[in-house]
Amino acid sequence: MSADRFEAARATLLDARAGDPLARTHVIVPGTIAAITLRRTLAASSGLANVRFGSVSQLAEQLAALHLALDLAGPRSLVTPGRRCEALRRALATSSPSSVTTMADDLAGARLLERLVGELDRADVDPLHRPTDLSPRAGDVLDLYADYRHHLGGALTPPELLRAAAAAVRAGTDLPVRVLLATDEPVNAAERELLEELSAAGHLHRVPREASPTTVDVHLTVAPDAEEEVRTAVRRVVDHLERHPVRPERLGIAFSTEVPYARMLAEQLSAAGLPHHVAVRRRLDETLAGRTLLSALQLHRRGYPRADTLTWLSAAPMRTADGEPVPSWRWEQISREAGVSRGLDTWRLRLDRWSRKQAAHDTTDGAAREARDRRLADAASLGDTVEAIAGLADAALTATTWTDVSNGLLALLRQCLGEPTVVDGWSRSTSADLDAVVEREQQAHTDVTRALTDLAELDRTSAPPTPASVADVVADELRASVPGTTTLGRGILVGSIADFTGAELDLLVVVGLTEDAAPARQREHPVLRDADRELLSPHLATVASRRADARDAWVAALGAARHVHLSTARANTRSQRRQFPSPWFLEEAERLAGRRVSMEDLTALTADWLTTYDSSTDALLRTGVFASPHELDVAIAVRGGVDVLASHDHRLRRGLRAARTRARGTFGEWTGGVGALPAVVRTEIDQRHSASALQEWATCPTRHLFQYVLGIRDVEDVGARDGVDPRERGTLVHAVLEQFLSDHLGDTERPGRDPGEAWSDADLDDLLRIFEDRVAGFVAEGLAGRHAAVWSVERSRLRRALTAALQADSESRRRNGSWPIALEMPFGRDGHPDLEVYLPTQGPVTFAGFVDRVDATIDGGLVVLDYKAGKAAKYADLPVRGSGEAAPDVVDRGRMLQLPLYALASRARFGSDRTPVEGYFSLVERGGVEVGSAIDDAAVERLTDALEVSVSGIRLGIFPANPGKPDDSRGWDACRYCAFDRVCPDTRGEQWRAARESPAVAEYRRLVGTEEEA
């Protein structure tokens, strides 16, 4: 709008107010941005008071309010989303089955029908008007619409509100002065009727029509992607503000599609420190309170799946059943360990089982007992909270009146987020922006509470509630719009292209001008086709009308500013595909070039009105304007000045040193050389030495650092497993064999079962009976995985494996003259002394644990057996018992310490330093095959050396990342099943090859060798 146009608007306003500067005035404008620019211009010279800017519908609400309140038939109100949803639901329930009503069986179809009846309401379609050429499906639509209008009762549709306003004008109601700014024709007959009544009453004053002004300056930009397109747009704004002394409200950025541009523009403008308003439609169901309530109802319907429930509990300031803040991260860990999956019964059963196991682990350590008790309290609180939420949700969904529904949902919201006083006390920060976010969420909570309270009104107009209708009505009520995250009229204006219709700006930047986005591809409605729409009402949108509207909005946007910058992106980084310019973008390019222009021409064309960037780096190298300090820093770094930046920022300096050290592979603090452990850490680590922990260090010292020194662990989601956890499978096998063999134990002098006596069929039946008894409890505790079919196969395989293992044990005892004398033999546990191993330089190191099985032999020796119920590939290099082969390295370069340590513990319990001992892994999955060797003096010497290197390396802080052998199909051998695989860089192989040359790593390399030496 030009200066002359605004001067005409000012004159019209003065004329309408007839010299009274406080006369009530309503200015009809095409949109909010047009209202802002017009208000500021009209108020610039002499101020403005008692003037409201809005649409025809907003004016109608004011005019009709008193008229409707005095209606003798009773007060009437507007159709709300919840009222529309309930009326449509009742219409679907009472209508005859048709091609349209059956669509409501699907949630997406029901939503589509709901939007369609809303569109028919706004278009003022008469359900009784049936054109002769109407299609059968359109007839079904009208039948459903007629039933819907019947169930709507006295609620007013938008056209009916307009007609009520017109009636108010005819009745002579005291009216404010009105100025019609937008000179376009009214959208429908009801609007036209209202404006005609206003004009006849002398209350309507029109601003003269004006052709669109000529744009002074148009510039085109081709960016590599949408992210750089947005950054370039913000730089344009910054540059314009530096060159032209104008208020930020005189600048605008328009986008073709809200996703992803609205979010990115808000982020970049905030980073630049520029005040702005992003005209993004935000709804109650997108606020914290609305999202929390709807998710609670959805989770109730789905049985509270563990992962989704904990995500929900972590996404808001939730409260426990006792009203305390939710300890979400502790609940996440406990629920994973407990194996919770879904279903309230499963939640309680598995949390109770987990609590019993935790309570059974008594300890004399005060700190450990306190930590255990806190975890037990957390588990109880988690179960109570889920049950409380489930009870309230169920009460609301199964209520028999809408008043009870309203009260139930309010109680559910209070349980989730706390009482209003708690919400009012949501913490504030030192950031004004964050404070504003908190205030908006508090206001949204109030709006959600009001919407839930209003549900009680449905008792007067709607059928009794059902669980489905409650969920649908609540969802519809919470689709209401709420104020955005920024303040309208303060700062740079951001919105869709159509939002800038009627605006008058100094600069407008338009982003997202790509094919299929500007104009957007239009498709016919899947239910009510265009041919039927044209027959029913001229105000129902068709493909042609939507295209025409989009074109009109584009032309209006081009005329909205003195300077216009248009931009397009060559690639969509999200879908990884090439993009082409919008026809509108090419149209402007052709106008400026004076000839036909294609995408290829744009990349090669050189013109003052065109800027093309090959990449983000190219844009930073060529620009002289930076939107933020961060952007300037990146530009300096791109231009080779990163060390200059690092000299002023210790964090960047430290990060550069880390990156360069890791790239070179130099062993040091950034590649695993953390230095000698502090005394307090060393003492704690020394108390926890175990065979498995030291084996981890030999396999990959970095993994040992994360897991055993730093205490980081991957808490598996037990309830999400399809099959059985390998550890639980091993526990089951151990328990079955221990119970079976416990009746056949002997001592070192007398066998409980003669070595030559094979296990009988009765013994096998006894073993399988024990197995089935254990399996019943295994399944009851939820350890069998989620799928019965998978467990059935696993159970059959375990039965076969145990059967074969028992038969193999008969042969092994006969051949070797041995018999079991101990099961789950403790050392360093249950009052038994620790196993102490003296190391030449590190001194005594103690170990504790359990030995699965110890056998005595007729020649006075001992045999240690360690049952392995998992895969046997790890033990493929060990010789089979009785084969006569010797193990090449009984400790496997420090990665198999269990058998030698168990052998020493068994010798200390049942023999002497000279007692011969053998150690074997019993591979249950391979039918009880035993692999291993004798633990002689050479093996003990090799064990001592491995422990010396391992314990010394841990104490000295030697933790390089060793990925092991490269595996073309699965990456690196040591990383295949590592929980920390994603932490290590892709260049881990090169890093290890460099780090192993360090003198500090020499002893570790001597112990484990390299992949070339292995």
Side-chain angles (χ1 to χ4, degrees):
M1 184 181 293
S2 65
D4 291 342
R5 170 71 161 160
F6 273 102
E7 191 56 43
R10 182 180 289 108
T12 304
L13 177 62
L14 292 174
D15 179 61
R17 303 185 104 176
D20 181 2
L22 297 179
R24 295 169 57 203
T25 308
H26 186 105
V27 181
I28 300 174
V29 290
T32 55
I33 292 179
I36 292 169
T37 56
L38 179 58
R39 175 185 287 276
R40 289 192 177 278
T41 303
L42 292 177
S45 59
S46 57
L48 205 62
N50 209 14
V51 179
R52 179 173 179 174
F53 293 77
S55 65
V56 178
S57 298
Q58 291 169 327
L59 172 64
E61 288 186 42
Q62 296 180 62
L63 297 177
L66 180 61
H67 185 71
L68 292 173
L70 298 176
D71 193 333
L72 296 178
R76 301 174 67 188
S77 59
L78 273 173
V79 176
T80 64
R83 192 81 171 268
R84 178 179 295 117
C85 172
E86 177 60 18
L88 179 59
R89 177 177 288 279
R90 295 178 66 183
L92 289 167
T94 57
S95 298
S96 301
S98 69
S99 61
V100 174
T101 58
T102 54
M103 296 177 62
D105 296 339
D106 177 71
L107 179 60
R111 291 281 184 262
L112 181 66
L113 290 179
E114 191 176 331
R115 291 192 296 271
L116 178 58
V117 296
E119 187 181 2
L120 295 175
D121 280 347
R122 291 187 296 274
D124 203 18
V125 171
D126 181 0
L128 302 179
H129 174 61
R130 305 292 178 106
T132 55
D133 295 334
L134 209 61
S135 70
R137 171 168 284 189
D140 292 340
V141 169
L142 287 183
D143 289 338
L144 176 62
Y145 185 59
D147 289 341
Y148 154 80
R149 290 297 299 271
H150 170 72
H151 291 295
L152 203 56
L156 290 171
T157 63
E160 288 175 334
L161 177 67
L162 289 163
R163 283 194 283 271
V169 175
R170 283 194 298 271
T173 303
D174 183 27
L175 302 174
V177 176
R178 291 116 193 138
V179 176
L180 179 64
L181 174 63
T183 55
D184 296 334
E185 288 299 316
V187 174
N188 55 44
E191 287 187 352
R192 185 180 298 107
E193 179 184 350
L194 172 58
L195 296 178
E196 288 174 351
E197 291 293 341
L198 287 169
S199 180
H203 291 288
L204 183 63
H205 301 262
R206 298 178 181 270
V207 178
R209 185 188 298 267
E210 179 200 51
S212 298
T214 302
T215 301
V216 174
D217 175 45
V218 174
H219 192 91
L220 308 185
T221 299
V222 179
D225 52 49
E227 288 80 1
E228 187 56 38
E229 190 181 8
V230 168
R231 286 190 288 267
T232 301
V234 176
R235 290 186 204 120
R236 294 282 186 196
V237 169
V238 172
D239 182 56
H240 191 87
L241 287 171
E242 290 178 352
R243 294 173 181 270
H244 305 279
V246 296
R247 291 179 59 87
E249 293 79 9
R250 297 282 302 158
L251 312 181
I253 304 178
F255 48 73
S256 59
T257 56
E258 188 172 302
V259 179
Y261 289 101
R263 176 186 58 80
M264 290 195 297
L265 284 166
E267 291 174 353
Q268 292 298 322
L269 288 167
S270 296
L274 294 173
H276 60 279
H277 170 70
V278 181
V280 177
R281 286 169 292 278
R282 188 166 177 254
R283 306 183 314 194
L284 277 177
D285 58 7
E286 296 171 333
T287 65
L288 190 147
R291 194 170 60 243
T292 298
L293 181 68
L294 290 177
S295 295
L297 299 179
Q298 292 165 1
L299 288 169
H300 188 76
R301 176 178 58 83
R302 297 170 55 208
Y304 298 94
R306 191 210 68 83
D308 294 341
T309 301
L310 267 296
T311 299
W312 172 65
L313 288 169
S314 306
M318 302 286 284
R319 317 300 287 189
T320 67
D322 297 328
E324 298 298 321
V326 164
S328 56
W329 68 269
R330 299 205 300 268
W331 282 6
E332 173 74 35
Q333 191 175 69
I334 290 170
S335 63
R336 282 175 176 261
E337 292 176 358
V340 174
S341 52
R342 73 168 66 216
L344 290 178
D345 292 341
T346 302
W347 274 87
R348 180 52 69 187
L349 172 69
R350 298 191 179 178
L351 286 173
D352 287 347
R353 182 196 67 197
W354 180 89
S355 296
R356 288 195 299 273
K357 286 184 176 180
Q358 295 295 314
H361 296 159
D362 200 6
T363 176
T364 57
D365 186 339
R369 186 186 299 112
E370 183 179 348
R372 182 203 63 186
D373 292 345
R374 185 176 63 248
R375 282 166 61 81
L376 288 173
D378 284 340
S381 178
L382 171 58
D384 292 344
T385 300
V386 172
E387 288 183 351
I389 290 169
L392 291 171
D394 189 68
L397 290 169
T398 58
T400 56
T401 68
W402 286 103
T403 298
D404 289 342
V405 168
S406 173
N407 294 333
L409 291 174
L410 288 170
L412 176 60
L413 187 63
R414 287 194 299 271
Q415 169 59 60
C416 292
L417 298 177
E419 297 291 337
T421 53
V422 174
V423 176
D424 292 341
W426 281 348
S427 61
R428 303 293 179 86
S429 71
T430 56
S431 167
D433 290 339
L434 291 179
D435 282 348
V437 171
V438 172
E439 290 175 4
R440 281 191 293 271
E441 291 296 348
Q442 290 170 328
Q443 180 58 49
H445 182 277
T446 302
D447 294 340
V448 170
T449 300
R450 186 181 301 113
L452 297 179
T453 303
D454 291 345
L455 292 179
E457 298 296 321
L458 292 176
D459 280 328
R460 297 206 309 254
T461 59
S462 302
T466 64
S469 66
V470 170
D472 286 346
V473 168
V474 171
D476 282 319
E477 287 293 338
L478 297 188
R479 280 203 286 268
S481 296
V482 294
T485 58
T486 52
T487 304
L488 179 63
R490 295 182 182 176
I492 297 157
L493 302 169
V494 182
S496 68
I497 293 174
D499 288 336
F500 286 89
T501 300
E504 194 277 320
L505 303 170
D506 202 62
L507 170 70
L508 178 65
V509 181
V510 186
V511 297
L513 293 175
T514 58
E515 193 176 49
D516 293 339
R521 178 173 294 180
Q522 303 292 342
R523 295 180 175 86
E524 285 196 73
H525 195 278
V527 179
L528 193 61
R529 312 299 283 184
D530 282 0
D532 294 319
R533 287 169 170 264
E534 291 173 352
L535 291 172
L536 289 174
S537 171
H539 306 300
L540 282 172
T542 63
V543 169
S545 68
R546 289 196 297 269
R547 285 174 179 165
D549 291 343
R551 178 67 185 183
D552 291 343
W554 168 249
V555 173
L558 286 179
R562 298 183 178 87
H563 305 276
V564 176
H565 288 260
L566 311 177
S567 70
T568 186
R570 285 196 302 270
N572 185 325
T573 54
R574 289 165 175 77
S575 62
Q576 295 294 303
R577 65 180 181 87
R578 183 183 180 188
Q579 294 184 144
F580 296 94
S582 157
W584 295 342
F585 187 89
L586 292 176
E587 182 181 282
E588 284 300 305
E590 291 173 0
R591 183 183 66 81
L592 294 168
R595 61 180 178 85
R596 189 172 183 80
V597 175
S598 65
M599 179 61 186
E600 289 71 21
D601 295 333
L602 285 175
T603 58
L605 192 62
T606 301
D608 293 339
W609 49 266
L610 175 68
T611 302
T612 302
Y613 295 121
D614 295 330
S615 64
S616 298
T617 302
D618 179 39
L620 284 174
L621 290 173
R622 291 168 53 190
T623 188
V625 178
F626 304 101
S628 66
H630 171 73
E631 204 169 77
L632 176 59
D633 289 345
V634 173
I636 293 173
V638 166
R639 297 174 185 183
V642 67
D643 289 307
V644 175
L645 294 173
S647 66
H648 299 283
D649 189 334
H650 72 278
R651 296 169 301 177
L652 177 58
R653 186 163 59 249
R654 189 172 173 83
L656 277 175
R657 186 163 62 247
R660 288 167 176 170
T661 300
R662 288 168 179 160
R664 291 192 298 265
T666 305
F667 186 68
E669 63 175 327
W670 301 108
T671 51
V674 302
L677 298 181
V680 63
V681 177
R682 170 177 165 171
T683 300
E684 185 177 352
I685 296 299
D686 284 346
Q687 292 173 349
R688 295 198 310 243
H689 280 315
S690 66
S692 57
L694 295 177
Q695 287 170 177
E696 287 284 15
W697 186 85
T699 303
C700 177
T702 295
R703 187 158 72 204
H704 179 99
L705 170 67
F706 291 151
Q707 188 167 346
Y708 293 99
V709 179
L710 301 179
I712 302 170
R713 61 193 181 104
D714 181 24
V715 183
E716 185 182 3
D717 189 354
V718 178
R721 282 194 305 261
D722 292 331
V724 180
D725 184 333
R727 291 166 296 187
E728 297 292 353
R729 183 196 301 116
T731 301
L732 174 63
V733 169
H734 280 68
V736 171
L737 292 173
E738 180 185 3
Q739 183 177 345
F740 172 76
L741 291 171
S742 61
D743 293 334
H744 304 281
L745 292 179
D747 55 34
T748 55
E749 301 298 331
R750 293 179 302 279
R753 181 92 176 195
D754 190 271
E757 183 182 356
W759 299 110
S760 65
D761 290 343
D763 293 324
L764 177 59
D765 290 342
D766 189 31
L767 175 70
L768 295 180
R769 178 189 58 77
I770 293 172
F771 172 72
E772 293 299 338
D773 289 344
R774 292 279 181 172
V775 161
F778 193 78
V779 173
E781 291 185 353
L783 300 176
R786 294 187 300 174
H787 299 296
V790 175
W791 166 240
S792 177
V793 173
E794 180 78 16
R795 176 174 167 275
S796 298
R797 186 169 65 246
L798 285 175
R799 281 181 62 95
R800 292 193 300 271
L802 286 170
T803 301
L806 193 65
Q807 295 169 348
D809 186 71
S810 294
E811 177 60 23
S812 176
R813 288 186 298 104
R814 182 195 63 78
R815 185 175 60 250
N816 299 294
S818 61
W819 61 89
I821 61 173
L823 300 170
E824 291 295 319
M825 186 200 82
F827 57 96
R829 303 280 176 83
D830 300 340
H832 293 274
D834 294 334
L835 170 65
E836 184 175 282
V837 179
Y838 187 83
L839 305 178
T841 66
Q842 301 302 310
V845 178
T846 58
F847 294 90
F850 295 89
V851 182
D852 289 350
R853 173 175 166 181
V854 181
D855 284 13
T857 64
I858 56 176
D859 58 6
L862 297 172
V863 178
V864 171
L865 289 177
D866 190 31
Y867 291 111
K868 297 299 180 185
K871 296 180 179 178
K874 179 180 179 180
Y875 314 100
D877 294 336
L878 295 177
V880 176
R881 184 179 184 183
S883 65
E885 300 177 18
D889 180 7
V890 72
V891 299
D892 186 25
R893 299 173 290 165
R895 304 178 193 193
M896 288 189 185
L897 303 177
Q898 288 173 307
L899 291 181
L901 286 173
Y902 292 171
L904 294 181
S906 301
R907 179 185 281 170
R909 179 83 172 271
F910 295 108
S912 67
D913 291 345
R914 308 314 304 167
T915 302
V917 185
E918 300 173 54
Y920 299 98
F921 294 112
S922 179
L923 308 180
V924 177
E925 286 289 325
R926 287 179 54 186
V929 171
E930 297 169 355
V931 295
S933 68
I935 310 300
D936 53 17
D937 291 343
V940 174
E941 183 178 348
R942 181 62 175 147
L943 169 67
T944 303
D945 179 60
L947 293 177
E948 175 81 22
V949 174
S950 300
V951 173
S952 171
I954 292 170
R955 290 174 174 175
L956 292 174
I958 309 298
F959 299 105
N962 181 2
K965 299 178 183 179
D967 187 330
D968 292 338
S969 61
R970 298 182 181 180
W972 296 91
D973 183 59
C975 306
R976 191 178 306 166
Y977 303 111
C978 178
F980 309 104
D981 178 51
R982 288 177 292 179
V983 176
C984 294
D986 293 336
T987 57
R988 64 192 72 179
E990 294 88 338
Q991 184 174 301
W992 162 240
R993 282 191 285 274
R996 72 190 185 193
E997 302 301 326
S998 169
V1001 188
E1003 280 297 290
Y1004 174 73
R1005 178 176 176 178
R1006 179 183 65 77
L1007 172 66
V1008 304
T1010 65
E1011 64 270 16
E1012 293 87 357
E1013 298 165 356

